[in-house]
Amino acid sequence: MKGNTNNKRTKVARLIDKYDLDGMGAQLEADWTGVSGERTSLRDLADEFNYAILEAALRAANVSPAQFELSGIYTALADSGAEQTRAKRRLEREGVCVDDLLRDFVTHQAIYTYLTEYREASLPEHTTDTVEKKVEAIKKLQGRLAVVIDSAISSSASTGSLDHSDYDVLIDVRVICPACGSDSTVGTLLREGGCDCDNSSHSQGEN
């Protein structure tokens, strides 16, 4: 699928050009939609994309990626302690601008934006239906809970134990990740496939 050139180019699209990652867009789409087998999650796709950027950055600095244990370097960059410091210093010694590299790392949300808005990709109908069914089931439960609460308020008001029954009942179920602090509705979490915690230390300025 060709990119939608009528829309503002997304961060992922710009990075594919910047790092000469030819074919990466099509591969991301194929893996996400599962055309060649099992689907790959957005989080895993973000890691794969960032890994490719790390390899490309090393090649641009005339360093062979084979000289590095890349998975260890990538994992260390997400740390906040001594391991991260050592990884940064090693990359800097090889001529890699670590600050630029980390700014170019993306989250799963950037991958989702690229696939759905730039490439105009969508999940197979049965996959989307499964997610939407879960979201709809949760909404129904929220509706039932609202009815129970409204009934309790009305009953208490009629017996005089509550001042009146004219209250609006709002059911807002949100999901908070204890690792990165992201706050979202259940529907958003299920549709996007997770939060940002795996890549929150890697990325800045997503779009």
Side-chain angles (χ1 to χ4, degrees):
M1 179 183 297
K2 294 181 180 179
N4 187 344
T5 56
N6 293 323
N7 291 336
K8 177 184 176 182
R9 296 218 307 158
T10 67
K11 179 178 182 179
V12 173
R14 295 193 301 271
L15 291 172
I16 286 175
D17 285 346
K18 177 180 178 179
Y19 288 97
D20 296 322
L21 300 177
D22 296 336
M24 191 73 182
Q27 187 62 50
L28 289 171
E29 181 178 342
D31 290 344
W32 184 56
T33 57
V35 295
S36 58
E38 187 175 351
R39 288 185 55 240
T40 303
S41 72
L42 290 168
R43 290 189 190 187
D44 287 344
L45 290 177
D47 284 335
E48 290 174 14
F49 188 78
N50 292 338
Y51 197 90
I53 286 178
L54 176 58
E55 286 188 304
L58 286 169
R59 291 193 181 96
N62 296 315
V63 179
S64 171
Q67 296 176 230
F68 287 76
E69 202 283 291
L70 290 183
S71 62
I73 292 290
Y74 179 68
T75 300
L77 289 174
D79 194 5
S80 59
E83 290 297 321
Q84 183 191 61
T85 300
R86 282 193 287 269
K88 286 182 175 181
R89 286 176 178 170
R90 184 177 181 190
L91 290 171
E92 287 168 351
R93 285 197 300 269
E94 299 294 346
V96 175
C97 180
V98 177
D99 288 340
D100 287 347
L101 177 67
L102 294 180
R103 275 193 294 268
D104 285 345
F105 281 170
V106 303
T107 67
H108 78 277
Q109 291 178 331
I111 297 291
Y112 180 79
T113 298
Y114 169 72
L115 290 171
T116 59
E117 296 184 12
Y118 184 77
R119 294 189 67 86
E120 299 181 337
S122 60
L123 293 178
E125 186 175 345
H126 70 277
T127 303
T128 303
D129 286 347
T130 299
V131 172
E132 292 304 323
K133 284 179 181 178
K134 291 176 181 177
V135 173
E136 188 61 30
I138 292 170
K139 287 182 178 179
K140 288 181 179 179
L141 288 174
Q142 290 178 230
R144 292 173 189 168
L145 178 58
V147 169
V148 171
I149 294 174
D150 189 62
S151 176
I153 290 174
S154 297
S155 176
S156 297
S158 66
T159 60
S161 59
L162 189 64
D163 55 356
H164 61 85
S165 62
D166 189 20
Y167 291 96
D168 293 327
V169 178
L170 302 176
I171 306 296
D172 183 21
V173 179
R174 306 191 66 81
V175 182
I176 299 174
C177 175
C180 68
S182 64
D183 180 347
S184 63
T185 65
V186 178
T188 298
L189 184 75
L190 293 176
R191 291 184 181 108
E192 294 192 354
C195 64
D196 261 349
C197 62
D198 284 352
N199 297 291
S200 58
S201 63
H202 280 163
S203 310
Q204 300 177 27
E206 294 296 313
N207 59 64

